[in-house]
Protein backbone atom coordinates (compact mmCIF):
# COMPACT_ATOMS: atom_id res chain seq x y z
CA UNK A 1 0.00 0.00 0.00
CA UNK A 2 1.51 3.37 -1.04
CA UNK A 3 2.27 6.13 1.41
CA UNK A 4 0.54 9.44 1.75
CA UNK A 5 2.57 12.47 0.67
CA UNK A 6 1.66 15.96 1.87
CA UNK A 7 3.11 19.20 0.57
CA UNK A 8 2.30 22.31 2.62
CA UNK A 9 2.76 25.92 1.47
CA UNK A 10 1.74 29.19 3.10
CA UNK A 11 -0.03 31.53 0.69
CA UNK A 12 -1.44 35.02 1.25
CA UNK A 13 -4.66 34.15 3.05
CA UNK A 14 -4.47 30.38 3.43
CA UNK A 15 -2.29 27.37 3.96
CA UNK A 16 -2.36 25.11 0.90
CA UNK A 17 -1.85 21.39 1.48
CA UNK A 18 -1.54 19.04 -1.47
CA UNK A 19 -2.43 15.43 -0.72
CA UNK A 20 -0.97 12.64 -2.86
CA UNK A 21 -1.92 9.02 -2.26
CA UNK A 22 -4.67 7.23 -0.34
CA UNK A 23 -6.45 8.67 2.67
CA UNK A 24 -7.25 5.63 4.79
CA UNK A 25 -6.81 4.08 8.23
CA UNK A 26 -3.04 3.85 7.77
CA UNK A 27 -2.51 7.41 6.49
CA UNK A 28 -5.20 9.40 8.36
CA UNK A 29 -2.97 10.03 11.41
CA UNK A 30 -0.40 11.68 9.16
CA UNK A 31 -3.03 14.00 7.69
CA UNK A 32 -4.30 14.93 11.18
CA UNK A 33 -0.74 15.68 12.33
CA UNK A 34 -0.18 17.90 9.28
CA UNK A 35 -3.44 19.84 9.64
CA UNK A 36 -3.48 20.22 13.43
CA UNK A 37 -1.01 23.16 13.67
CA UNK A 38 -3.07 25.08 11.10
CA UNK A 39 -6.53 24.56 12.62
CA UNK A 40 -7.02 28.26 13.43
CA UNK A 41 -6.26 29.36 9.86
CA UNK A 42 -7.86 28.78 6.48
CA UNK A 43 -6.54 25.55 4.99
CA UNK A 44 -7.18 24.55 1.42
CA UNK A 45 -6.64 20.81 0.96
CA UNK A 46 -5.95 19.96 -2.68
CA UNK A 47 -7.08 16.40 -3.32
CA UNK A 48 -6.55 16.05 -7.08
CA UNK A 49 -3.99 13.29 -6.51
CA UNK A 50 -5.85 11.48 -3.74
CA UNK A 51 -5.97 7.88 -4.96
CA UNK A 52 -8.66 6.61 -2.60
CA UNK A 53 -10.47 7.10 0.67
CA UNK A 54 -12.05 4.85 3.29
CA UNK A 55 -14.19 5.55 6.34
CA UNK A 56 -11.13 6.37 8.46
CA UNK A 57 -10.03 8.94 5.88
CA UNK A 58 -13.53 10.38 5.79
CA UNK A 59 -13.56 10.54 9.58
CA UNK A 60 -10.16 12.32 9.57
CA UNK A 61 -11.48 14.94 7.13
CA UNK A 62 -14.63 15.42 9.17
CA UNK A 63 -12.71 15.83 12.44
CA UNK A 64 -10.26 18.27 10.84
CA UNK A 65 -13.18 20.27 9.42
CA UNK A 66 -14.83 20.46 12.85
CA UNK A 67 -11.57 21.28 14.66
CA UNK A 68 -10.86 24.10 12.21
CA UNK A 69 -14.35 25.58 12.66
CA UNK A 70 -14.03 25.42 16.45
CA UNK A 71 -10.60 27.10 16.33
CA UNK A 72 -11.80 29.92 14.06
CA UNK A 73 -10.28 28.51 10.89
CA UNK A 74 -11.62 26.49 8.01
CA UNK A 75 -10.80 23.41 5.98
CA UNK A 76 -11.77 23.71 2.33
CA UNK A 77 -11.42 20.76 -0.03
CA UNK A 78 -10.28 21.59 -3.56
CA UNK A 79 -9.84 19.56 -6.72
CA UNK A 80 -11.75 16.60 -5.29
CA UNK A 81 -11.77 13.69 -7.77
CA UNK A 82 -15.29 12.67 -8.85
CA UNK A 83 -15.12 9.20 -7.27
CA UNK A 84 -14.05 10.65 -3.93
CA UNK A 85 -16.75 13.32 -4.12
CA UNK A 86 -19.26 10.53 -4.81
CA UNK A 87 -17.95 8.60 -1.79
CA UNK A 88 -18.35 11.67 0.43
CA UNK A 89 -21.88 12.16 -0.91
CA UNK A 90 -22.77 8.50 -0.32
CA UNK A 91 -21.60 8.78 3.29
CA UNK A 92 -23.53 12.00 3.99
CA UNK A 93 -20.40 14.16 4.11
CA UNK A 94 -21.48 16.65 1.42
CA UNK A 95 -20.80 19.51 3.83
CA UNK A 96 -17.07 18.86 3.32
CA UNK A 97 -17.47 19.69 -0.37
CA UNK A 98 -19.18 23.03 0.14
CA UNK A 99 -17.26 26.06 -1.13
CA UNK A 100 -15.88 28.47 1.48
CA UNK A 101 -18.19 31.22 2.62
CA UNK A 102 -17.94 34.64 1.00
CA UNK A 103 -16.93 36.28 4.27
CA UNK A 104 -13.50 34.62 4.35
CA UNK A 105 -10.57 36.60 2.90
Amino acid sequence: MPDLYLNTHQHHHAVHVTLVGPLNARTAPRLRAELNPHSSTRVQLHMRDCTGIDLDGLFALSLAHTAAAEAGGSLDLADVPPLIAHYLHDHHADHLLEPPSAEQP
Side-chain angles (χ1 to χ4, degrees):
M1 186 179 278
D3 286 331
L4 178 69
Y5 299 98
L6 299 166
N7 187 5
T8 303
H9 292 289
Q10 177 70 44
H11 288 271
H12 297 289
H13 298 288
V15 173
H16 289 250
V17 179
T18 301
L19 182 151
V20 179
L23 184 53
N24 54 36
R26 192 169 143 264
T27 61
R30 177 133 190 259
L31 177 68
R32 286 192 307 267
E34 185 75 21
L35 295 179
N36 190 42
H38 307 292
S39 61
S40 64
T41 62
R42 180 173 177 233
V43 175
Q44 191 168 55
L45 181 62
H46 297 271
M47 298 186 63
R48 176 182 301 121
D49 296 317
C50 182
T51 58
I53 191 168
D54 67 6
L55 283 176
D56 290 300
L58 173 66
F59 190 59
L61 288 177
S62 184
L63 284 176
H65 186 267
T66 300
E70 290 174 354
S74 67
L75 175 64
D76 308 320
L77 304 185
D79 309 318
V80 180
L83 287 175
I84 292 177
H86 185 71
Y87 184 85
L88 295 176
H89 174 74
D90 282 352
H91 289 85
H92 308 287
D94 298 271
H95 64 283
L96 298 174
L97 297 170
E98 293 175 4
S101 67
E103 64 192 45
Q104 292 179 345

